[in-house]
Amino acid sequence: MDTIRSSARGCTACLLLLLLPTGIQHAKERDRDWLEKLNKMESQADEARGAYWCGRYDDAQRQFAALAASMHPSTILYLNESAMCSLAREDYPDAERQLREVDRLLNTYYSEEREKRALSVFGAEAEKVYRGDPYEQASAYMLLALILMDRGDYDNALAACKSGILADSDASENLFDSDIALLHAVEAKCCLLRGDKEAFSSRQDAAAKAVRLTSMQVRDGFSKRQDLLELLKMSRSDRRRLGEKRSDDEIRAEIQSLSGTLDQQIKSIDAATLLGPLYSGDYNVLILVPRGRCARKTRTGTDAEMVVFREYTASCEFPGLYLDGQSLNPDGVLASTVDVDFQATTRGGRRMDAILRGKAASRTTTRGLGESLTQAGSNVGGVPGLGVALVGALVQGAAGAMTPEADTRCWQSLPKYYQIYTLRLPYGRHEVQGAHYVYFQKKTEFRHEFSLVDGKDMAVIIVPPPLYGAYFCAGESKLSERDREGFGLASTILLPPPTGLDDVIRIRVSAEGVKPEALAPDAKRVMRSVQESLRANKYVSSLVWHEETIKSRAFLAANHRYALQCDLGAIIREGTRKSGVYRTRLTFSLIDAKTGKTLLGKSVEGTCTDIASGPSTAFYKCVRQATEAFLGSPDFKSTCNTGSV
Amino acid sequence: MTRVIILLLSCAIIGSLASGCYSPKPIPKAYFESKSQMSVAVGKCPEKAQMSDSGQGGLLGAMVTAGRAGAMHEAMSGITGDTVKELVRQRFSEKMEEYFDIYDEGTLKTVIDILQWGWYVPTTVAGIKTGSYQFVINGTVTVTDTVQKKKPRIANLRAQVSETIGNKPTAAVSQEALLKCADKLAVQAVTLLVKEQTAEPKSK
């Protein structure tokens, strides 16, 4: 009998050992399929985002629309991004249609089964249906409210504002009811236009409160207080791991003292003055100017289980804006009214993050147990030891099968912040026009006509986004005296950084069987190469870096007549290692620095047959050759002679 | 027999001394004061990304890891030693620019040798994966004074950096990890090399 029982026990153990990995394998395969599909879609979306930030809105919208055409976990995300393309194309009805669809999906399409799977230990978080962080949902409703307001549908605009406020009001500790001042201000305006003065007054106060709570003076204090509140919620072991030695009472005392200082600071902020007409409601035109690019999510942590926001730090030009032919002054605008980056990065204690922390902990514990078993098995030795070691290895494998990687899908076509103009214009037809610059070159122009019929009429203009994708360089780089040769002389040609580059560029390989290649271009080296060619052709030139050009374009243009800009088109490799060639297409533009007008634009190809030296060497040889060809062209010489460079 | 034992012992002592005495050697202070010019180049660098594991799985583990390498190479398609070399050179030069003028040629010559770049996967018995993939770069940095005839090597160090890329890394994630690793390597190397500099960095 005993023999039968022990055999049965053995069989059960063997069965469990066999089934456990099979179960893991099955779960892993399902996860892998879903993740592969989602990753593929995200990769396509990245291409569309690239087109969007380079001003190719039609191309971007076509790709986003294709991605959002079917129902899958990322549909809402791609609808949001497609709506941004419609807004950039000034197709407000189409943007409204898509944002209404987002609202419908947020309220109805909610798969509990997928949510449960994300909450289970096995399963990737990315499988979860994308609904967006509170700041993303609030942004969608804010844009919908503005479009509806422009159309004169104030009832629905009010409803959209309320939905946005609701979506944004779940910040940790409920410190902020909703801190997007524009949502409250637009809600207040809608109430005013509907004749509800009581509601207008209360919403006016809410807008002022949001401005006070998000003003620069108190941001650090608030952040510190949130950290302390988070610390209070932590277990002792977690606090010890962070090196935190303060007791609960000490932390509470610090929170109290900090709260006192914060209250005083908040009281001193004159929100009504800061908001201006947005507070009084005395405006009938709202112009939103998107600036920069919103931060994106990336993974961090030992198991890539945590989300961090990576900011885009490079600044970009303010578009030249004109209202009825008069220049709109960028000063005196309350820029912090919709600070998307601030909204994105100050959402501490998100529910999903907490679950991820739990998963990472579970994985570490499981792995530790497995390691101990494997170690014990190795120490025991023999057949029993081998068995224990194998069980330990399986446990460690199970730990490896858990997928705590954080979901990094996020709305990447939002700007860093919106600058807002509030104006009261007389009835009649009006026109807002402007242009986006890339360094000295005027790239795209836009024009928006609108008419104001009566006292209840409102116009909302959302300016197309800056061409952020054209820029490659961020921050400042050190330039030598040789690089700055001739700086300040009117005849010197300014050389801003090249555009169209990326950290890594894939080279198109046309021959079959040749392995793909990539290149890491060096902007400064390209600039120096162009300068060398100019020098050889007896032209004086000076390099100017990104930040300097953005901040002092007008000053530089006043002191220099020309700028030479270079944009990378494509790099192709043809043929084999023995008889191949690298081809690099560059577009050179000689710009009138003052007007931004392109005096001469030419696409030139540089070739290099030295395949053995590798793509980097070939690329710089191609750049040099293409520059020489451009400078040697009769067009360049005649333009320069006419303009007497 | 005694001779063999003595020979083996001597080898072991020399080996342990040679490997155990490593410590990074920063650039001497005098070079910062004389505002020397520096050139930066990348010497050795494997042409392809390499896959490594914890090494506990024996032959079976090595085979399993080699099997994983195929899919990982696909994720990094196009990125070769040439790309990595150029990236590391750029990031190192950017960081070093705060302390020295970087030109194509200079009194100081920095050579970065990349010994390994690719992926690391933590494994146990029989090559069972126990954690997330990591992207790793490790190498050495040597600074020489081209004017000095005797002992031209003035500074050297080893650097190793890694970045977790999760369980199912995509091409985009791998590429981002490569960029982060190049940044980390540059920061680590420059921090150690300029350790002896007491004055503030030159203004940009």
Side-chain angles (χ1 to χ4, degrees), chain B residues 1 10 17 20-21 37 39 42-43 58 62 66 76 78 86 90 98 110 121 123 127-128 146 152 168 181-182 200 204:
Chain B
M1 187 63 188
S10 329
L17 280 173
C21 291
Q37 292 185 352
S39 70
V42 179
M76 285 287 274
E86 190 57 17
Q90 283 173 35
E98 288 183 33
T110 303
V121 52
T123 55
I128 295 173
T146 51
K168 296 152 190 108
C181 279
E200 286 292 304
K204 284 176 194 175

Side-chain angles (χ1 to χ4, degrees), chain A residues 325-337:
Chain A
Q326 297 287 311
S327 173
L328 274 176
N329 184 7
D331 299 329
V333 177
L334 180 65
S336 67
T337 317

Side-chain angles (χ1 to χ4, degrees), chain A residues 397-606:
Chain A
M402 291 181 195
T403 49
E405 285 132 78
D407 184 4
T408 54
R409 287 172 300 167
C410 62
W411 190 349
Q412 290 183 48
S413 45
L414 282 171
K416 200 178 185 71
Y417 62 92
Y418 282 103
Q419 276 190 329
I420 295 162
Y421 289 93
T422 42
L423 310 160
R424 175 156 288 283
L425 297 181
Y427 306 145
R429 287 196 73 76
H430 299 279
E431 185 189 68
V432 170
Q433 55 173 315
H436 278 301
Y437 286 80
V438 171
Y439 297 128
F440 295 96
Q441 191 177 23
K442 194 187 269 183
K443 274 278 188 181
T444 54
E445 290 184 77
F446 50 86
R447 186 187 296 258
H448 189 102
E449 283 183 15
F450 60 95
S451 55
L452 296 164
V453 182
D454 54 37
K456 281 204 158 190
D457 211 2
M458 269 291 304
V460 179
I461 297 115
I462 303 169
V463 169
L467 306 177
Y468 203 85
Y471 301 124
F472 172 58
C473 302
E476 274 298 316
S477 183
K478 200 170 135 186
L479 296 172
S480 67
E481 280 174 23
R482 196 172 157 80
D483 295 331
R484 303 286 274 180
E485 185 186 19
F487 183 79
L489 298 171
S491 59
T492 301
I493 300 175
L494 293 174
L495 288 176
T499 53
L501 302 186
D502 206 346
D503 288 312
V504 174
I505 296 172
R506 308 275 163 174
I507 297 170
R508 274 195 277 158
V509 179
S510 60
E512 271 183 40
V514 177
K515 285 177 186 168
E517 288 179 344
L519 172 86
D522 182 349
K524 200 191 269 184
R525 200 165 161 188
V526 172
M527 289 162 83
R528 281 179 175 165
S529 180
V530 174
Q531 192 181 35
E532 276 302 312
S533 299
L534 279 164
R535 200 173 281 138
N537 283 277
K538 310 253 185 300
Y539 293 108
V540 182
S541 61
S542 174
L543 308 192
V544 277
W545 205 248
H546 179 87
E547 287 297 322
E548 185 187 7
T549 316
I550 301 288
K551 284 178 187 158
S552 333
R553 181 164 58 91
F555 169 77
L556 292 168
N559 292 292
H560 303 86
R561 197 163 173 189
Y562 297 104
L564 180 62
Q565 290 187 204
C566 164
D567 182 71
L568 177 71
I571 314 168
I572 304 165
R573 185 186 148 174
E574 288 171 355
T576 58
R577 200 174 172 85
K578 279 181 186 170
S579 60
V581 63
Y582 282 104
R583 294 182 189 279
T584 303
R585 186 154 284 280
L586 295 159
T587 304
F588 290 95
S589 307
L590 186 69
I591 318 286
D592 181 332
K594 281 188 188 71
T595 60
K597 199 178 148 194
T598 306
L599 300 171
L600 177 68
K602 209 171 178 144
S603 186
V604 194
E605 191 178 78

Side-chain angles (χ1 to χ4, degrees), chain A residues 240-258:
Chain A
R240 231 176 287 136
R241 217 181 304 146
L242 288 172
E244 181 57 56
K245 287 171 187 168
R246 283 174 291 183
S247 67
D248 281 5
D249 289 339
E250 284 173 316
I251 295 170
R252 278 197 199 98
E254 201 174 329
I255 292 172
Q256 213 168 1
S257 109
L258 196 61

Side-chain angles (χ1 to χ4, degrees), chain B residues 14 26 41 78 83 88 94 98 100-101 111 116 119 144 182 192 195:
Chain B
I14 291 164
T83 327
V88 170
E94 278 168 26
E98 288 183 33
F100 293 99
D101 288 327
V111 177
Q116 194 216 337
W119 309 276
T144 49
L192 289 168
K195 223 172 161 182

Side-chain angles (χ1 to χ4, degrees), chain A residues 367 478 506 518 520 522 524 616, chain B residues 77-78 82 90 97 130 175:
Chain A
R367 197 186 295 148
K478 200 170 135 186
R506 308 275 163 174
D522 182 349
K524 200 191 269 184
S616 298
Chain B
S77 91
D82 184 78
Q90 283 173 35
E97 260 179 358
T130 60
Q175 187 175 305

